[in-house]
């Protein structure tokens, strides 16, 4: 029987499937790095080309999204932050934004939530883990977008219904550092997350570390799953074609039984070798491989029962368990159809909360293509948020989330400790009262004034 690497979690059986792809990964190296030292003022920066190639470094560097004057201004502002966590340090121009907030982006994990339904219905404990891990991988196609979401305003919320029977609610509970929490459920599962991002700015790239705790409870079996995702790297922020890569381990643990899934996200190698590839195993509580999982996070995932050496069982077949749904062609923001649903009022419940992200005037203006209005509204909201903070401090008060409670739990993560919030159930009561009122909601939701403010909308 092959041994299990305690640090990496992957089977190291001689000649096995996993050892073969791991050895191949080590030989691929990393994507091509090109110096842009020929451009005055940008010495030491590099352009990383995921396709490799031998294009002229300066010509490749100038293919970025920034005009020269924008690039100079951005670099002048940002170079002093190299090596720092820039999650909420600087105000960025809307030219690099997408019309979605970070807590809306949290909801994208629900596009293929039917995989959790299948996991809940599955009697095989290892296939249950395979379905759940495919759900965790499925969001990465959406996460490769190169546009930045808006940072939510403190107290901002996002609600989503009319999708596969779920009710989803997220709330921004901290501004410094930015932190969002969410609760989602349907008849098969509940999902809870406390999440904040930690970043490291490296000049022409940004490392993103997902400091968070995700818990999924499958209702039929009662098992509780814990997810630790891999970090992400955003390449070519200033020079070159911006692209995103996720690399490293994703670990999904069944806290009830001790079973575990360890998936390895391959780094992008020469000429794109290995990019998108994900491979790993479902392990029993005794750390024996039970199901082999393989695929690409931008296309599909498949699995196959395996022996103790990690090799496919004789007579078994590779079974596809997730495939990317068709996506729009030439979409401006690289949105999926589901991303458009997230922004749509078609997924909003009756009597939408006034703090909902869809109602943000800067986000809405950007969605409609009005860059100037988006920028001015963004500045206004940020100043209003600062004004509310001054009011709160003058009163000696602390912000209190409406739908989630801060617990005494501080959870360790690979990238730092995390304060844990829990859903307090008040939103369920709020929705039940509205749904039982039998009052038609004839309000034009686009006319509702965005209002996440603790002291009313006149803070500024």
């Amino acid at each position: 029987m092959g041994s299990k690497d305690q640090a990496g979690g992957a089977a190291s059986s001689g000649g096995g499937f996993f050892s073969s792809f791991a050895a191949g990964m080590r030989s691929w190296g990393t994507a091509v790095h090109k110096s842009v030292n020929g451009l005055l003022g940008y010495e030491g920066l590099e352009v990383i080309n995921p396709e490799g190639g031998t294009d002229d470094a300066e010509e490749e560097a100038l293919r970025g999204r920034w005009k020269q004057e924008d690039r100079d201004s951005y670099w002048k502002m940002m170079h002093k932050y190299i090596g720092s966590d820039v999650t909420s340090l600087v105000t960025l121009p809307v030219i690099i934004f997408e019309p979605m907030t970070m807590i809306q982006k949290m909801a994208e994990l629900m596009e293929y939530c039917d995989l959790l339904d299948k996991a809940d219905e599955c009697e095989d404990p290892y296939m249950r883990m395979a379905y759940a891990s495919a759900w965790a991988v499925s969001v990465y196609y959406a996460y490769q977008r190169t546009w930045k979401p808006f940072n939510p305003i403190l107290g901002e919320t996002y609600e989503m219904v009319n999708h596969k029977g779920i009710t989803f609610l997220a709330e921004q509970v901290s501004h410094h550092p930015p932190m969002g929490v969410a609760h989602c459920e349907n008849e098969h599962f509940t999902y809870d997350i406390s999440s904040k991002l930690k970043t490291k700015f490296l000049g022409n790239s940004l490392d993103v570390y997902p400091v968070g705790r995700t818990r999924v409870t499958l209702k039929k079996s009662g098992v509780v799953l814990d997810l630790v995702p891999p970090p992400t790297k955003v390449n070519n922020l200033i020079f070159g074609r911006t692209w995103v890569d996720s690399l490293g381990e994703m670990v999904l643990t069944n806290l009830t039984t001790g079973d575990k899934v360890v998936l390895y996200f391959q780094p992008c190698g020469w000429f794109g070798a290995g990019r998108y590839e994900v491979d790993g195993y479902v392990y029993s509580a005794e750390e024996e491989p039970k199901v082999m999982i393989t695929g690409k996070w931008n296309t599909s995932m498949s699995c196959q029962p395996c022996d103790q050496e990690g090799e496919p069982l004789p007579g078994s077949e590779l079974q596809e368990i997730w495939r990317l749904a068709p996506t729009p062609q030439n979409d401006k923001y690289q949105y999926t159809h589901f991303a458009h649903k997230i922004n749509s009022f078609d997924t909003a419940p009756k009597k939408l909360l006034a703090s909902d992200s869809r109602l943000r005037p800067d986000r809405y203006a950007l969605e409609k293509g009005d860059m100037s209005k988006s920028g001015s509204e963004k500045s206004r909201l940020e100043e209003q948020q600062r004004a509310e903070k001054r009011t709160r401090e003058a009163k000696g008060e602390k912000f209190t989330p409406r739908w989630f409670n801060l617990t005494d739990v501080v959870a360790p993560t690979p990238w730092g400790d995390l304060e844990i919030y829990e859903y307090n159930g008040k939103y369920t009561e709020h929705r039940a009262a509205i749904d039982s009122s039998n009052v038609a909601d004839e309000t034009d939701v686009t006319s509702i004034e965005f209002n996440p403010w603790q002291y009313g909308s006149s803070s500024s």
Side-chain angles (χ1 to χ4, degrees), residues 154-452:
L154 187 62
E156 184 174 328
T157 58
Y158 176 72
E159 304 173 79
M160 183 172 66
V161 295
N162 302 328
H163 174 70
K164 300 182 180 180
I166 69 169
T167 299
F168 180 96
L169 173 71
E171 183 175 12
Q172 189 75 357
V173 297
S174 173
H175 179 59
H176 287 294
M179 185 171 180
V181 296
H183 174 80
C184 177
E185 64 179 292
N186 67 5
E187 62 178 326
H188 290 286
F189 68 87
T190 61
Y191 161 90
D192 291 278
I193 182 173
S194 296
S195 177
K196 65 180 178 182
L197 294 182
K198 181 178 181 181
T199 64
K200 187 175 183 180
F201 177 62
L202 301 173
N204 200 33
S205 65
L206 183 74
D207 288 343
V208 182
Y209 306 98
V211 183
R213 191 183 81 168
T214 299
R215 293 287 167 85
V216 175
T217 301
L218 301 179
K219 293 184 175 181
K220 182 178 179 180
S221 63
V223 302
V224 179
L225 309 178
D226 176 82
L227 176 67
V228 179
T232 294
K233 191 178 191 71
V234 184
N235 301 284
N236 302 346
L237 285 174
I238 304 172
F239 290 99
R241 291 164 291 186
T242 305
W243 60 282
V244 179
D245 200 23
S246 293
L247 60 159
E249 283 187 349
M250 169 184 285
V251 180
L252 180 70
T253 304
N254 185 329
L255 299 178
T256 307
T257 66
D259 300 337
K260 180 182 294 186
V261 181
V262 181
L263 298 179
Y264 189 79
F265 284 58
Q266 299 282 5
C268 179
W270 292 96
F271 297 98
R275 190 179 181 198
Y276 311 118
E277 293 186 9
V278 183
D279 298 277
Y281 291 104
V282 178
Y283 294 95
S284 68
E286 293 72 35
E287 301 186 350
E288 295 179 348
K290 294 295 184 179
V291 179
M292 179 185 73
I293 300 176
T294 184
K296 293 187 176 183
W297 52 257
N298 70 329
T299 308
S300 66
M301 296 295 295
S302 299
C303 69
Q304 188 169 5
C306 65
D307 60 23
Q308 293 183 353
E309 301 298 325
E311 298 294 341
L313 286 178
S316 67
E317 296 183 353
L318 197 64
Q319 172 189 354
E320 184 177 272
I321 52 176
W322 168 74
R323 175 164 291 276
L324 181 74
T327 58
Q329 295 295 313
N330 302 316
D331 191 88
K332 179 178 181 180
Y333 291 106
Q334 303 164 289
Y335 274 12
T336 64
H337 290 294
F338 184 66
H340 285 289
K341 284 180 64 177
I342 286 175
N343 267 344
S344 169
F345 288 100
D346 292 340
T347 55
K350 184 168 66 173
K351 294 192 179 298
L352 182 67
L353 294 171
S355 50
D356 194 88
S357 296
R358 298 177 185 83
L359 303 173
R360 279 185 62 149
D362 52 353
R363 188 215 63 79
Y364 191 71
L366 183 61
E367 185 179 19
K368 298 304 180 185
D370 192 336
M371 194 81 69
S372 176
K373 183 176 181 180
S374 179
S376 62
E377 290 289 356
K378 178 174 176 288
S379 296
R380 182 180 67 81
L381 288 176
E382 290 169 345
E383 177 51 42
Q384 196 163 345
Q385 182 166 230
R386 287 188 285 267
E388 176 155 291
K389 180 182 178 181
R390 291 191 293 269
T391 301
R392 187 180 303 112
E393 290 176 345
K395 292 177 176 287
E397 298 176 357
K398 291 185 178 181
F399 173 79
T400 302
R402 185 176 179 185
W403 310 110
F404 296 84
N405 296 336
L406 178 64
T407 70
D408 295 330
V409 177
V410 178
T413 79
W415 305 284
D417 291 342
L418 175 74
E419 305 81 14
I420 301 300
Y421 286 77
E422 65 179 6
Y423 176 61
N424 60 25
K426 293 180 180 178
Y427 179 78
T428 302
E429 298 172 3
H430 167 77
R431 276 286 145 225
I434 291 175
D435 293 341
S436 64
S437 65
N438 295 321
V439 176
D441 184 7
E442 299 178 356
T443 305
D444 178 5
V445 288
T446 60
S447 67
I448 301 174
E449 181 183 0
F450 177 63
N451 183 8

Side-chain angles (χ1 to χ4, degrees), residues 115-186:
L115 289 168
L116 290 179
D117 297 349
K118 291 181 179 180
D120 182 52
E121 295 169 345
C122 188
E123 297 295 337
D124 184 317
Y126 306 120
M127 280 303 299
R128 179 187 300 149
M129 295 294 286
Y131 283 122
S133 63
W135 161 78
V137 170
S138 67
V139 75
Y140 279 84
Y141 178 85
Y143 281 3
Q144 71 176 324
R145 292 199 302 268
T146 59
W147 305 93
K148 183 190 181 305
F150 286 89
N151 280 350
I153 299 296
L154 187 62
E156 184 174 328
T157 58
Y158 176 72
E159 304 173 79
M160 183 172 66
V161 295
N162 302 328
H163 174 70
K164 300 182 180 180
I166 69 169
T167 299
F168 180 96
L169 173 71
E171 183 175 12
Q172 189 75 357
V173 297
S174 173
H175 179 59
H176 287 294
M179 185 171 180
V181 296
H183 174 80
C184 177
E185 64 179 292
N186 67 5

